[in-house]
Amino acid sequence: MEAGKAVPQRAPGWSRTLSLINPLRAVWWLFTSVRFAVLLLALLVLLSLAGVVVPQVPSNVRGDAMAEAQWLDRQHERFGFATDAIDAAGLFDVFHQRWFALLLTVTVVSTGSYIVSRFPGVWRTITRPRRRVPDRYFDLAPHRVRAEGAVDPEALSAVLRARRYKVYTEASGTDSYLFADRFQWAQLGTFLTHASVIVFILSAVVSRMDAYSAPLFLSEGATLPVFPVKNPGQMQVQLINAHAEFADDGQPLNYRADLAIFQDGAEVLRCSSTVNSPCAYRGFHFYQAAYFGYGATLVVREAATGNVVYRETAALAEKTPSPHIRIIGSDGVVLLDDTVLLTESAGAQDREYRAGLLRLPDGTPLTFWLPVEGGDLVVFEPSSGKDAIRTSLAPGGRYTAGDLSLEFVRLEDVPSAVVPEFPLPEAAGGGLGDALFLMTNVVYGTDRTSGGDVSAAAPPGEPRLTLVGLQPQSITLAPGESIEVDGLEYGFEGQREFVGIEAKRDRSDNLVWIGAAAIVVGLMITFWVPRRRLWARITGAQLSLAGQAPGHANYTRELADIAVAAGARVKDDGDND
């Protein structure tokens, strides 16, 4: 080759050209990009937030076309015309959409690719660190210190080992070079943090594929299935007894439900469940989610055969305002101290009233009218005598007529419910129809108990159930009593309490704990024990130190302390940054 003649450049071959435009390389670059990972995580957070804010289809409804349609109809009341668009976008079931699963997969692949791409380099710096740097590095390092005075390399090594550094020394002529490494394994902490993202996503996948939740509303003695009827792993939950304790002002003190769990027809567990201490069986947890004290069990039999035609526990979830009346005779004897049920509707002077009729022990009839929109209680005796009772009273008001003293003690909310498809006697038209149930002589917590929705002490005696709609006059029964009407025997078995039990299975809990531990440990390693690398050059009259450590470690000051501890005098000038 002639001197001074330029060497011709070879045209890039096909292999090199293809490597530059290789789509796999572009995909690898994209998946290992930090910006792409941040974008994926931001999108994942936004969609997850949508899945929290927007109501999601309950797990026990999903897959049942009719139940899903009914649930979607209820959402129209909240979202109006936007309901169909939200449903079409899949936002009512975010975590079970294919696009959400695809997003999770891409995020896992991206995070895994980042770990794989960075791991070899980090592993090399841990196992084969660079022990010698050029002399110029001592003038350019981000953390550097220059000190005057003769320093013994062994003394510097001893100082570093005392601070848990791993030290390597090398002599070069009259100079000595030293490398020290501390917490080299801390660089793996960042991989723990990234791996926690994968673990969290895997927990979401497990939760998506395996999680199940079923709300059960049970009365005492009742049993309900956890799964749809045809599920081969069927379990049943029976409420044996419900317990509730309340303070005088109605604040709940304790809720507890005694449960029996059945599988394959056999009892497998008997336990007590509370809000914070659920029963557990084969991955399921049974939480007490609600308490309701007003339930009435009624049995209807054919009087001739004794065959049971109806047996249900009705939840008396409605409230019927009813006055508590006290009537005292002239001799001081209490003729009445009870709640008067207003079971009829009446109208007068363009006003609607709830009305009820009561007869005193001597047969005197009294009629009570209470305006539907609220107001004073109207009491009158259908008699033309001058001592007939005719008055209107506010709660706490009193009225005296002749030998009687009448007091409107208070207005009470009586638990009630209209029970559909109830067996009616021939006197009420026969067949199945609506009947009104009301229960008096009870004071129990309701859905507003925590707000102090109990204003009276528990009354003496047993609760009484009043049935309206079986005959012209209402029927009142005590627990254990029954009455026959047109060949049907109606029996009140007693008051029953209800509880809401949430049966939940989510075996992703362990993965969540593992992911949480990984991210906490990774962050603690990264911020509390960051890796420190130190290079030293020792000449006859000078010590130069250079190091690498995260900015929050304040490593320059630490290098100065090391130099002073080794016997050098640190220069206070611009060379020490």
Side-chain angles (χ1 to χ4, degrees):
M1 180 180 296
E2 298 181 6
K5 189 174 182 179
V7 178
Q9 299 292 325
R10 295 178 61 187
W14 281 106
S15 60
R16 178 171 174 79
T17 303
L18 287 175
S19 68
L20 293 175
I21 62 173
N22 189 343
L24 294 179
R25 175 172 291 187
V27 171
W28 177 254
W29 174 85
L30 179 65
F31 275 78
T32 57
S33 168
V34 174
R35 293 183 179 180
F36 182 63
V38 171
L39 177 63
L40 289 175
L41 290 175
L43 184 59
L44 192 61
V45 168
L46 289 176
L47 290 174
S48 299
L49 182 62
V52 172
V53 175
V54 179
Q56 301 294 287
V57 178
S59 57
N60 61 316
V61 171
R62 189 182 302 110
D64 186 331
M66 182 175 295
E68 284 190 15
Q70 293 174 349
W71 184 88
L72 193 61
D73 287 341
R74 292 194 294 270
Q75 303 312 309
H76 278 277
E77 301 175 1
R78 181 174 180 179
F79 297 100
F81 69 91
T83 304
D84 293 337
I86 295 174
D87 182 46
L91 296 182
F92 283 134
D93 200 10
V94 171
F95 306 111
H96 290 81
Q97 299 299 319
R98 291 184 177 179
W99 47 258
F100 190 78
L102 178 62
L103 178 61
L104 290 177
T105 303
V106 173
T107 305
V108 168
V109 172
S110 174
T111 306
S113 300
Y114 177 86
I115 294 175
V116 170
S117 67
R118 300 298 191 274
F119 185 81
V122 172
W123 184 255
R124 281 195 301 270
T125 64
I126 292 174
T127 58
R128 291 181 293 173
R130 184 175 186 178
R131 298 180 183 179
R132 181 80 178 266
V133 293
D135 289 348
R136 183 167 174 75
Y137 185 73
F138 291 98
D139 298 322
L140 301 175
H143 302 284
R144 61 186 184 273
V145 167
R146 185 169 297 171
E148 300 293 343
V151 175
D152 184 2
E154 291 299 326
L156 178 59
S157 298
V159 170
L160 290 170
R161 289 190 179 97
R163 301 192 180 200
R164 299 188 298 279
Y165 279 88
K166 192 173 182 179
V167 182
Y168 304 88
T169 58
E170 176 185 346
S172 178
T174 59
D175 297 341
S176 295
Y177 291 88
L178 181 148
F179 170 70
D181 203 351
R182 180 183 178 187
F183 303 141
Q184 61 266 40
W185 299 103
Q187 280 190 273
L188 296 178
T190 183
F191 293 125
L192 276 178
T193 306
H194 286 82
S196 67
V197 175
I198 297 178
V199 174
F200 280 131
I201 292 176
L202 289 177
S203 70
V205 172
V206 172
S207 179
R208 176 181 182 267
M209 301 298 295
D210 183 65
Y212 184 83
S213 177
L216 309 175
F217 192 56
L218 290 155
S219 64
E220 290 177 312
T223 303
L224 287 177
V226 174
F227 301 108
V229 177
K230 295 183 179 180
N231 192 297
Q234 185 61 270
M235 289 190 292
Q236 294 87 20
V237 180
Q238 181 184 26
L239 175 61
I240 299 171
N241 199 4
H243 306 270
E245 298 177 11
F246 301 93
D248 291 338
D249 63 353
Q251 297 292 335
L253 301 177
N254 181 39
Y255 290 147
R256 189 176 81 256
D258 296 334
L259 304 177
I261 313 299
F262 294 85
Q263 190 166 41
D264 298 329
E267 182 178 325
V268 294
L269 179 67
R270 185 166 291 213
C271 58
S272 291
S273 174
T274 66
V275 175
N276 297 318
S277 299
C279 297
Y281 176 72
R282 289 195 174 182
F284 272 87
H285 290 82
F286 301 89
Y287 298 86
Q288 179 167 356
Y291 169 83
F292 184 75
Y294 303 120
T297 300
L298 199 78
V299 178
V300 182
R301 293 182 173 87
E302 294 178 345
T305 64
N307 293 333
V308 175
V309 296
Y310 179 92
R311 179 190 174 89
E312 294 289 344
T313 299
L316 309 185
E318 302 298 327
K319 297 177 181 179
T320 299
S322 302
H324 188 100
I325 304 297
R326 182 182 295 117
I327 300 178
I328 302 176
S330 59
D331 53 0
V333 176
V334 177
L335 303 178
L336 177 71
D337 189 358
D338 203 351
T339 302
V340 178
L341 297 179
L342 308 180
T343 59
E344 304 294 335
S345 297
Q349 299 178 350
D350 297 329
R351 298 187 71 181
E352 293 185 6
Y353 293 84
R354 295 186 180 92
L357 177 67
L358 173 70
R359 291 187 181 275
L360 299 180
D362 62 358
T364 303
L366 291 179
T367 302
F368 298 85
W369 289 34
L370 183 69
V372 172
E373 70 275 10
D376 292 346
L377 176 68
V378 177
V379 186
F380 65 88
E381 177 185 350
S383 170
S384 58
K386 65 177 183 177
D387 293 332
I389 297 176
R390 288 182 176 83
T391 185
S392 62
L393 299 172
R398 295 188 179 185
Y399 175 79
T400 301
D403 296 334
L404 297 179
S405 174
L406 184 146
E407 179 185 2
F408 179 11
V409 180
R410 60 181 173 270
L411 188 65
E412 297 179 348
D413 285 328
V414 172
S416 62
V418 175
V419 179
E421 298 185 0
F422 184 72
L424 300 178
E426 292 299 329
L432 301 178
D434 294 343
L436 175 63
F437 288 15
L438 304 102
M439 191 159 55
T440 55
N441 209 42
V442 292
V443 175
Y444 269 80
T446 68
D447 56 339
R448 292 181 56 246
T449 299
S450 59
D453 194 22
V454 175
S455 58
E462 297 177 308
R464 296 188 300 272
L465 181 67
T466 298
L467 309 177
V468 180
L470 306 186
Q471 60 183 22
Q473 295 80 31
S474 60
I475 298 171
T476 300
L477 301 172
E481 288 186 347
S482 61
I483 186 173
E484 182 180 340
V485 182
D486 294 341
L488 292 179
E489 182 182 313
Y490 297 86
F492 176 40
E493 292 195 346
Q495 181 183 5
R496 299 289 185 267
E497 297 162 279
F498 281 86
V499 297
I501 297 295
E502 188 76 18
K504 299 184 69 174
R505 180 187 64 200
D506 190 350
R507 286 180 275 213
S508 65
D509 292 351
N510 292 334
L511 288 174
V512 171
W513 283 111
I514 292 173
I519 195 171
V520 170
V521 172
L523 290 175
M524 289 177 63
I525 291 174
T526 301
F527 290 102
W528 287 3
V529 287
R531 185 183 186 183
R532 292 163 167 82
R533 283 178 288 177
L534 179 150
W535 293 269
R537 183 183 62 189
I538 304 172
T539 62
Q542 191 178 71
L543 169 66
S544 298
L545 298 177
Q548 292 182 1
H552 64 271
N554 197 4
Y555 200 36
T556 300
R557 177 177 295 179
E558 189 173 335
L559 292 178
D561 293 341
I562 290 172
V564 171
R569 186 177 70 257
V570 177
K571 295 178 62 177
D572 187 13
D573 56 27
D575 290 339
N576 297 327
D577 294 332

